[in-house]
């Protein structure tokens, strides 16, 4: 915080009340509860009551003949510690009398120059003096003596601690005693009994120390007060400047009071390098002593006068500070006031809100937003500070974008709203009652709607690259956001808005319109294709509706709407897509079905049947056109059809077969008939129609290898067809002559496949004109096969008979065994006694 930020206005912090006037010089004062003690140069000690008015209670004029240099009251024990005649003594004031207590434990304090005390009372035990721990540290020449109070005397706590110089002042903070010598400050760790130097005092200056808290203290060097911790580290707000070197400093939270010349200067720790005082109090003469009786009540003495400083009520100070816009000090006073917790929290919140708004007015936007965050202010109240960002605002903030201040202002708001948004989204909405949960959820949703809509407007002014990430997970108000994005022609972002809100039709209509605009970044079909690929099967009707124009203008790219390898596309209902393509885009059916079957491995019979039908229709079309240029395409299609008929296991042969014409597609029909197991029809087609016996033999080999029932009959069928071909396989379809018997091929098949052919059935169909020697190989192989089969039969029969004998032997053995069952035997399965069972015949 710079000095320029601390232009404080003076106000009344304390009121001065004159109490006493003496004719003999005052040396020391102390106070406790409603009592004031004054010690003078003659060794007299005066005890006054201060309530309801200052009145002398007792006076001890025989205590000492030397000046009373130091007095410290310990109200918990009703005693006063006194330094006079270079000796520390204890006075009893419990009976409104100043009585000197005999304390043998303090005899070693002869030569004392200063002392300090530390009083600790456990929380909740303040009413019991025996629980109060009082420790005393006395400077005796170049040594420190530490004592503790027990009974009615001080006892030594530890060995004397040697010092490099004679202490002139001491202050005790927690477990540390701060020592001020002529030229240097030191720290004494009471627990470790160690002394370490801090730094030198100022030139020609007496050491001055003041306690700020149990862990903080301040020391004066030249015209500065240096605030430090008991660990010896300088605090963050380290230097507090005064108009001159103080002679006395006292801390009365949150104020520091310093005696400089014949005036008292009041400052706060936040004053830092500025020496501007909160209040300056004039005195008739130089202040010699100051003592804090309690917060807001300070006794001050000069050479002959005693007065007190009474703090102006905090409520009055706060009111004045708020008028002066001194919010930081107002907050401190509100926090330490003695009001109830609820009232204190309310006042603090009001002050911080005023402070945050004041920071905003001073154009300290980031600091202002941080305060609003701490206050958990309603985001809408913060947004109202930006009129151009409010809902339904007609203001044009285009010109303001150019202003640097406006940009800084918007950036601060963005940081604030982003943090609030994060906190809202991470807050669990778990409540015990459902109605409370619903109210809380609705309120949160409204807040998020306001925040996201405002963030979008902010991004439009600062960094429009952040709009898209915001919209992908947004709570924006639809109508207002739509209007704003259209105004700035942010069509890509508008598409994202529609998509996140589920308004797919509006998004796709906009994409279709923009696809024809050459100046648009959405021109062409790419964004439409991507959009349709990602909205899933629940929107299949929309996908089909808006894919139509893409498929018409860009068929290859458009087909990826239904074939892209993404989960949403793969799970689209394929029969519905197929139906759509059949009705509107027949040229895309084959590539779509090929992708579905060969890439996605679809096993649906509908898809497989459809692909076969499309191949067939395409071939029929080519055949009818008889164009030379399409021969290669037709051949490729035919190859695909034959391979698919052969390899696919999922089409329905009966359904497919009826669509093939009788006057063509003979190879295809043969494959389908084979799938139906109509072997004789297949072989007859190969032999009589296609005149391709080799294909017939290949078919027989394939059937035989399948090991189906009666697979050895397949060759018999083929041989019969070759020996006696059918009379009229294609009767009525044209001038087709009956094929001649092919006995040479019969002899070749018999000799080559002798082991696979059912011999008895073949012998029945062989014609007499085939010479025996031509089929000798077949006959020898058949005979060997028969002999081998017989031997195998005999061996199996012998093995089975041996097994039967063994089983009979085992039966005889087990039948010879006796088992006795009584009513005491228990079944191992049902755990019941056999005697209790009822047998039903």
């Amino acid at each position: 915080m710079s000095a320029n930020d601390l232009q404080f206005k003076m106000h009344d912090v304390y009121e001065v009340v004159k109490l006493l006037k003496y004719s003999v010089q005052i040396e020391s004062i102390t106070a406790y509860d409603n009592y004031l003690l004054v010690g003078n140069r003659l060794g007299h000690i005066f005890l006054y009551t201060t309530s309801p008015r200052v009145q002398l209670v007792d006076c001890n004029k025989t205590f000492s003949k030397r000046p009373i240099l130091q007095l410290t009251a310990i109200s918990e024990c009703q005693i006063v510690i006194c330094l006079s005649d270079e000796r520390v003594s204890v006075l009893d004031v419990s009976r409104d009398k100043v009585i000197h207590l005999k304390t043998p434990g303090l005899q070693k304090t002869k030569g004392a120059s200063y002392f300090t005390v530390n009083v600790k009372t456990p929380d909740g035990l303040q009413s019991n003096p025996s629980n109060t721990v009082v420790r005393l540290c006395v400077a005796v020449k170049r040594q420190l003596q530490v004592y503790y109070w027990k009974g009615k005397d001080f006892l030594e706590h530890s060995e004397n601690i040697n010092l490099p110089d004679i202490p002139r002042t001491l202050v005790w903070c927690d477990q540390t005693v701060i020592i001020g010598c002529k030229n240097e400050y030191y720290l004494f760790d009471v627990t470790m009994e160690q002394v370490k130097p801090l730094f030198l005092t100022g030139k020609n200056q007496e050491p001055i120390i003041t306690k700020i808290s149990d862990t903080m203290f301040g020391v004066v060097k030249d015209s500065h007060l240096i605030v430090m911790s008991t660990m010896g580290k300088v605090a963050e707000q380290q230097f507090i400047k005064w108009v001159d070197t103080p002679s006395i400093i006292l801390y009365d939270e949150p104020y520091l009071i310093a005696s400089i010349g014949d005036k008292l200067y009041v400052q706060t720790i936040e004053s830092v390098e500025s020496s501007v005082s909160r209040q300056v109090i004039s005195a008739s003469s130089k202040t010699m002593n100051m003592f804090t009786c309690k917060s807001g009540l300070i006794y001050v003495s000069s050479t002959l006068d005693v007065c007190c400083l009474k703090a102006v009520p905090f409520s009055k100070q706060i009111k004045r500070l708020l008028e002066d816009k001194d919010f930081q000090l107002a907050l401190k006073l509100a926090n330490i006031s003695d009001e109830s917790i609820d009232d204190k929290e309310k006042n603090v919140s009001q002050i911080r809100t005023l402070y945050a708004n004041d920071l905003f007015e001073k154009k300290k936007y980031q600091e202002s937003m941080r305060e609003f965050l701490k206050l958990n202010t309603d985001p809408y109240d913060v947004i109202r500070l930006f009129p151009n960002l409010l809902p339904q605002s007609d203001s044009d903030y285009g010109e303001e974008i150019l202003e640097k201040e406006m940009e800084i202002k918007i950036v601060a708001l963005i940081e604030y709203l982003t943090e609030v948004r994060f906190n809202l989204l991470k807050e669990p909405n778990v409540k015990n009652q459902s109605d409370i949960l619903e109210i809380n959820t609705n309120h949160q949703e409204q807040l998020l709607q306001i925040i996201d809509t405002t963030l979008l407007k902010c991004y439009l002014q600062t960094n429009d690259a952040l709009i898209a990430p915001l919209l992908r997970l947004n709570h924006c108000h639809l109508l207002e956001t739509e209007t704003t994005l259209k105004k700035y022609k942010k069509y890509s972002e508008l598409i994202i808005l529609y998509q996140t809100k589920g308004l797919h039709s509006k998004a796709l209509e906009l994409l279709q319109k923009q696809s024809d605009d050459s100046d648009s970044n959405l021109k062409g079909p790419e964004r439409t294709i991507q959009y349709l690929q990602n909205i899933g099967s629940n929107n299949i009707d929309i996908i089909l509706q808006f894919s139509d124009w893409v498929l018409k203008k860009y068929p290859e790219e458009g087909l990826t709407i239904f074939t892209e390898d993404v989960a949403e596309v793969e799970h689209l209902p394929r029969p519905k897509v197929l139906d759509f393509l059949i009705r509107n885009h027949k040229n895309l059916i084959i590539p779509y079905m090929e992708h579905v079957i060969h890439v996605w491995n679809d096993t649906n019979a509908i898809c497989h049947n459809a692909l076969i039908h499309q191949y067939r229709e395409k071939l029929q079309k080519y055949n009818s056109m008889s164009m030379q240029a399409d021969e290669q395409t037709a051949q490729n299609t035919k190859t695909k059809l034959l391979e698919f008929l052969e390899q696919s296991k999922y089409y329905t042969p009966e359904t497919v077969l009826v669509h093939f014409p009788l006057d063509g597609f003979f190879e295809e029909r043969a494959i389908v008939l084979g799938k139906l197991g109509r072997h004789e029809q297949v072989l007859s087609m190969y032999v009589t129609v296609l005149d391709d016996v080799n294909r017939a033999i290949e078919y027989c080999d394939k059937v035989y290898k399948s090991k189906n029932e009666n697979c050895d009959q397949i060759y018999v069928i083929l041989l019969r067809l070759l020996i006696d071909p059918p009379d009229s396989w294609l009767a009525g379809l044209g001038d087709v002559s009956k094929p001649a018997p092919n006995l040479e091929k019969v002899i070749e098949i018999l000799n080559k496949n002798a082991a696979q052919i059912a011999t008895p059935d073949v012998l029945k169909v062989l014609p007499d004109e085939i010479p025996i020697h031509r089929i000798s190989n077949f006959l020898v192989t058949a005979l060997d096969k028969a002999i081998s089969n017989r031997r195998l039969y005999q061996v199996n029969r012998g093995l089975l008979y041996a097994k039967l004998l063994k089983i009979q032997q085992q039966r005889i053995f087990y039948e010879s065994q006796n088992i006795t069952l009584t009513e005491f035997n228990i079944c191992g399965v049902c755990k019941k006694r056999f005697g209790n069972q009822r047998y039903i015949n």
Side-chain angles (χ1 to χ4, degrees), residues 78 172 195 323-324 386 433 452 508 673 702 812 840:
Q78 294 287 291
W172 196 320
V195 177
E323 292 174 357
D324 296 339
F386 300 78
Q433 300 178 5
D452 283 9
L508 290 162
L673 287 169
K702 178 182 175 183
I812 294 169
I840 301 176

Side-chain angles (χ1 to χ4, degrees), residues 488-607:
Y488 286 90
K489 298 183 179 179
K490 297 292 182 181
Y491 298 119
S492 294
E493 290 78 4
L494 185 55
I495 298 300
I496 298 173
L497 175 69
Y498 287 147
Q499 186 172 8
T500 55
K501 299 297 184 182
L503 301 175
H504 303 304
S505 294
K506 296 189 73 171
L508 290 162
E509 287 170 0
L510 178 59
L511 283 170
Q512 184 175 358
K513 181 179 179 181
Q514 291 293 310
S515 67
D516 296 326
D517 187 348
S518 58
D519 296 328
S520 173
N521 61 346
L522 298 175
K523 65 181 179 180
E526 289 78 13
R527 283 296 300 274
T528 299
I529 292 171
Q530 292 173 7
Y531 194 103
L532 292 171
Q533 287 171 345
N534 289 282
I535 59 176
S537 58
N538 292 334
N539 298 289
I540 183 62
D541 293 332
I542 295 176
I543 294 173
L544 298 178
Q545 176 187 350
F546 287 95
S547 65
D548 188 61
W549 74 267
V550 181
L551 293 171
K552 287 178 180 177
K553 297 179 70 173
Y554 312 93
E556 291 186 9
E557 297 95 323
L559 186 59
T560 60
I561 295 170
F562 306 110
T563 60
E564 189 68 23
D565 287 330
V566 295
E568 289 81 2
V569 173
E570 190 171 349
H571 291 106
L572 292 176
R574 293 165 193 171
K576 197 162 187 176
V577 175
L578 176 60
D579 181 65
F580 168 74
L581 294 176
I582 290 172
R583 286 185 286 104
N584 300 284
H585 304 280
K586 289 187 177 182
N587 59 318
L588 298 175
I589 298 174
I590 289 178
Y592 172 68
M593 297 313 302
E594 286 178 341
H595 185 90
V596 167
I597 293 170
H598 300 316
V599 178
W600 290 339
N601 301 316
D602 194 303
T603 60
N604 191 325
I606 295 176
C607 296

Side-chain angles (χ1 to χ4, degrees), residues 24-214:
V24 178
Q25 181 174 324
I26 300 169
E27 294 290 341
S28 59
I29 60 172
T30 190
Y32 67 96
D33 300 337
N34 293 320
Y35 293 92
L36 169 67
L37 285 98
V38 180
N40 66 13
R41 174 165 289 188
L42 299 178
H44 302 166
I45 300 175
F46 299 89
L47 176 63
Y48 296 91
T49 180
T50 58
S51 180
R53 55 187 177 84
V54 178
Q55 185 175 355
L56 182 64
V57 176
D58 188 33
C59 175
N60 189 330
K61 296 184 178 182
T62 61
F63 172 70
S64 175
K65 295 181 180 179
R66 304 292 299 274
I68 308 298
L69 298 179
Q70 192 177 354
L71 289 171
T72 300
I74 302 172
S75 61
E76 293 83 354
C77 302
Q78 294 287 291
I79 60 173
V80 175
I81 302 174
C82 172
L83 172 63
S84 179
D85 196 14
E86 296 185 344
R87 187 186 299 273
V88 175
S89 305
V90 179
L91 305 172
D92 181 2
V93 292
S94 60
R95 291 172 289 180
D96 289 352
K97 296 285 186 179
V98 181
I99 303 172
H100 182 201
L101 288 179
K102 293 183 178 181
T103 51
L106 295 177
Q107 289 182 357
K108 293 183 180 181
T109 62
K110 180 62 178 175
S113 58
Y114 207 87
F115 71 82
T116 184
V117 297
N118 176 258
V119 181
K120 291 285 185 182
T121 303
D123 293 340
L125 301 176
Q126 288 86 348
S127 60
N128 190 348
S130 62
N131 293 311
T132 301
V133 178
V134 180
R135 291 182 293 177
L136 171 68
C137 182
V138 183
V140 180
K141 298 182 180 178
R142 295 194 177 191
Q143 288 187 333
L144 290 181
Q145 298 175 359
V146 181
Y147 300 89
Y148 64 94
W149 178 256
K150 186 175 182 180
K152 292 291 185 178
D153 197 2
F154 277 102
L155 306 179
E156 283 192 84
H157 183 273
S158 61
E159 297 289 334
N160 292 353
I161 306 300
N162 294 320
L163 299 174
D165 199 354
I166 298 173
R168 299 196 176 194
T169 184
L170 301 172
V171 170
W172 196 320
C173 294
D174 197 28
Q175 299 300 320
T176 304
V177 176
I178 302 90
I179 306 165
C181 297
K182 181 178 180 181
N183 298 314
E184 192 167 2
Y185 293 105
Y186 298 88
L187 288 183
F188 168 48
D189 189 321
V190 179
T191 304
M192 303 299 294
E193 298 185 1
Q194 293 178 348
V195 177
K196 67 176 182 180
L198 277 181
F199 46 77
L200 299 177
T201 60
K203 296 179 181 179
N204 303 317
Q205 174 192 325
E206 284 294 314
I208 301 169
I209 309 170
T210 185
K211 180 178 178 179
I212 295 175
S213 68
D214 283 343

Side-chain angles (χ1 to χ4, degrees), residues 162-344:
N162 294 320
L163 299 174
D165 199 354
I166 298 173
R168 299 196 176 194
T169 184
L170 301 172
V171 170
W172 196 320
C173 294
D174 197 28
Q175 299 300 320
T176 304
V177 176
I178 302 90
I179 306 165
C181 297
K182 181 178 180 181
N183 298 314
E184 192 167 2
Y185 293 105
Y186 298 88
L187 288 183
F188 168 48
D189 189 321
V190 179
T191 304
M192 303 299 294
E193 298 185 1
Q194 293 178 348
V195 177
K196 67 176 182 180
L198 277 181
F199 46 77
L200 299 177
T201 60
K203 296 179 181 179
N204 303 317
Q205 174 192 325
E206 284 294 314
I208 301 169
I209 309 170
T210 185
K211 180 178 178 179
I212 295 175
S213 68
D214 283 343
T215 57
M216 303 293 292
F217 64 91
V219 295
V220 173
K221 183 173 184 179
D222 298 326
S223 61
H224 288 83
L225 178 73
I226 304 173
V227 180
M228 306 186 69
S229 72
T230 52
M231 302 298 293
K233 296 181 180 179
V234 178
E236 182 179 348
Q237 298 165 324
Q238 46 188 339
F239 296 107
I240 299 166
K241 188 176 181 180
W242 302 90
V243 294
D244 201 349
T245 302
S247 58
I248 306 173
I249 288 185
L250 193 69
Y251 182 71
D252 179 35
E253 188 178 15
Y255 298 107
L256 286 164
I257 306 164
S259 172
I260 302 174
D262 60 351
K263 292 182 174 61
L264 296 178
Y265 292 83
V266 181
Q267 289 188 189
T268 59
I269 290 180
E270 287 74 18
S271 299
V272 195
E273 291 297 330
S274 172
S275 59
V276 178
S277 299
R278 300 284 181 172
Q279 184 181 11
V280 177
I281 302 171
S282 298
S284 57
S285 58
K286 183 178 179 180
T287 298
M288 305 300 294
N289 296 284
M290 285 194 293
F291 187 85
T292 303
C293 179
K294 59 183 179 180
S295 178
L297 180 60
I298 300 165
Y299 289 98
V300 179
S301 71
S302 59
T303 306
L304 299 173
D305 298 303
V306 177
C307 64
C308 77
L309 305 181
K310 289 186 177 180
V312 174
F314 282 174
S315 58
K316 188 175 180 180
Q317 288 192 56
I318 291 172
K319 183 179 179 181
R320 174 61 189 274
L321 290 169
L322 293 180
E323 292 174 357
D324 296 339
K325 296 189 176 182
D326 192 348
F327 301 102
Q328 294 285 31
L329 182 55
L331 278 174
K332 282 200 169 188
L333 294 179
N335 278 313
I336 63 175
S337 68
D338 55 2
E339 295 178 321
S340 66
I341 296 176
D342 290 342
D343 289 342
K344 186 181 294 187

Side-chain angles (χ1 to χ4, degrees), residues 676-733:
L676 292 170
R678 300 178 188 176
H679 305 309
E680 186 168 355
Q681 289 182 325
V682 175
L683 293 173
S684 178
M685 188 168 292
Y686 283 134
V687 172
T688 62
V689 179
L690 297 174
D691 193 20
D692 192 345
V693 178
N694 291 331
R695 288 282 297 276
I697 294 172
E698 290 175 4
Y699 181 79
C700 291
D701 293 339
K702 178 182 175 183
V703 173
Y704 185 82
K705 290 177 182 178
S706 67
K707 301 297 182 182
N708 292 328
E709 186 179 358
N710 298 324
C711 62
D712 57 348
Q713 293 294 320
I714 190 66
Y715 293 100
V716 177
I717 296 172
L718 175 59
L719 292 173
R720 187 172 66 246
L721 291 172
L722 291 173
I723 293 169
D724 185 18
D727 290 336
S728 56
W729 173 252
L730 296 175
L733 297 179

Side-chain angles (χ1 to χ4, degrees), residues 391-393 449 453 456-457 471 474-487 494 497-498 501 503 506:
Q392 308 301 327
S393 174
Q449 189 178 87
T453 306
L456 180 133
K457 293 180 179 180
L471 290 172
N474 78 89
H475 301 266
C476 293
H477 185 275
L478 176 61
L479 181 59
E480 188 170 353
T481 305
E482 180 183 35
T483 303
T484 304
L485 291 175
K486 283 182 177 179
K487 178 179 179 180
L494 185 55
L497 175 69
Y498 287 147
K501 299 297 184 182
L503 301 175
K506 296 189 73 171

Side-chain angles (χ1 to χ4, degrees), residues 751-764:
N751 290 325
K752 187 177 180 180
N753 301 283
Q756 290 87 20
I757 297 173
T759 305
D761 297 324
V762 166
L763 293 175
K764 292 177 183 178

